Amino acid sequence: MSIKIAPSILAADFGNLSRDCEILDKSVADWFHLDVMDGVFVPNISFGMPIVSSIRKMTAKPLDVHLMITEPEKYIDKFIEIGSDILTVHIEATSKMDNILDKIARSRIKSGIAINPNTPISKLKNYIEKIDLVCLMGVHAGFGGQQFILNTFDRLVELKNLIKIKNSSALIEIDGGVDNTNNKKLESLGADILVAGSYIFKSPDINKAISSLK
Ligand code: DX5
Ligand code: ZN
């Protein structure tokens, strides 16, 4: 499988959101990555359901919704209903992970668990067989435009091993600080999906930037 690219809308121009979504829709990007932040689980507020619903109408590409919110269990039904295709919750944000994964498993959509840089990979071991995706953070969740944490490479190797040992089919997504200086190494170590915000949207040519990560 060739690497998938999921541009993060967080770095788009919100005054021209439909224009930017149209560019992505017509591009070789595979998924739309949508960062929902609540100002509690992370110290930043981004956007919520109305924006996700609006973007749903602008593309048929999969919506990869990354919930950086506390008690995500309260909002799972809603995010399924408004058209998420992959719903990812943080392992650090809930004590109800089993309930959340059961609920997503009963729906038509795919499940993901996101893990922050300081959380041991071993915390995933009870869930790794049940999920479709791990979102391995390359930065501390909360803001776009941060520098990639180099230790993520070692964590990726550890995660890949865990997936192998547990015979899991979970895909690995890398989120935060991804650009054309680390994409090749991430791919060679086994990443399946790369999320990129600033690198894509700050570039003078969005299409070229997406292609350069492929
Ligand atoms: C960080 C978000 C990322 C972010 C990526 O909390 O989860 O998806 O938008 O942005 P860049 O690529 O700028 O690090
Ligand atoms: Zn994200």
Side-chain angles (χ1 to χ4, degrees), residues 37-184:
M37 303 179 183
D38 67 354
V40 180
F41 177 67
V42 290
N44 191 14
I45 299 176
S46 59
F47 53 79
M49 289 129 187
I51 296 282
V52 176
S53 299
S54 304
I55 295 175
R56 177 69 292 167
K57 295 183 195 114
M58 296 176 198
T59 185
K61 290 189 183 187
L63 298 188
D64 172 31
V65 178
H66 177 190
L67 296 182
M68 282 162 273
I69 63 176
T70 195
E71 295 186 284
E73 57 273 9
K74 291 183 179 168
Y75 305 94
I76 298 300
D77 288 325
K78 192 71 196 164
F79 278 101
I80 293 173
E81 189 191 313
I82 62 177
S84 308
D85 293 286
I86 302 116
L87 195 52
T88 296
V89 297
H90 267 266
I91 187 115
E92 304 88 1
T94 180
S95 56
K96 307 246 165 40
M97 192 59 92
D98 283 308
N99 296 355
I100 293 173
L101 296 181
D102 288 347
K103 191 171 258 187
I104 299 177
R106 287 195 300 271
S107 77
R108 54 155 198 100
I109 75 165
K110 299 203 182 305
S111 61
I113 295 185
I115 183 162
N116 263 321
N118 291 340
T119 304
I121 296 292
S122 59
K123 294 257 180 201
L124 296 170
K125 68 176 189 298
N126 294 333
Y127 305 111
I128 199 78
E129 293 148 286
K130 297 190 200 167
I131 57 178
D132 298 296
L133 173 146
V134 174
C135 175
L136 181 67
M137 296 304 297
V139 302
H140 297 280
F143 297 90
Q146 302 179 73
Q147 206 183 349
F148 184 77
I149 299 172
L150 289 173
N151 181 34
T152 309
F153 292 126
D154 291 342
R155 287 168 58 77
L156 171 54
V157 172
E158 196 185 341
L159 174 59
K160 196 82 191 162
N161 268 329
L162 178 68
I163 288 174
K164 200 171 161 197
I165 291 163
K166 294 278 195 174
N167 212 2
S168 157
S169 53
L171 299 176
I172 303 178
E173 172 178 74
I174 310 294
D175 184 13
V178 171
D179 61 20
N180 62 347
T181 67
N182 51 30
N183 67 311
K184 288 202 182 80

Side-chain angles (χ1 to χ4, degrees), residues 7-23:
S8 170
I9 294 297
L10 191 64
D13 176 356
F14 279 63
N16 290 291
L17 193 54
S18 58
R19 179 201 66 191
D20 283 1
C21 286
E22 199 184 329
I23 294 172

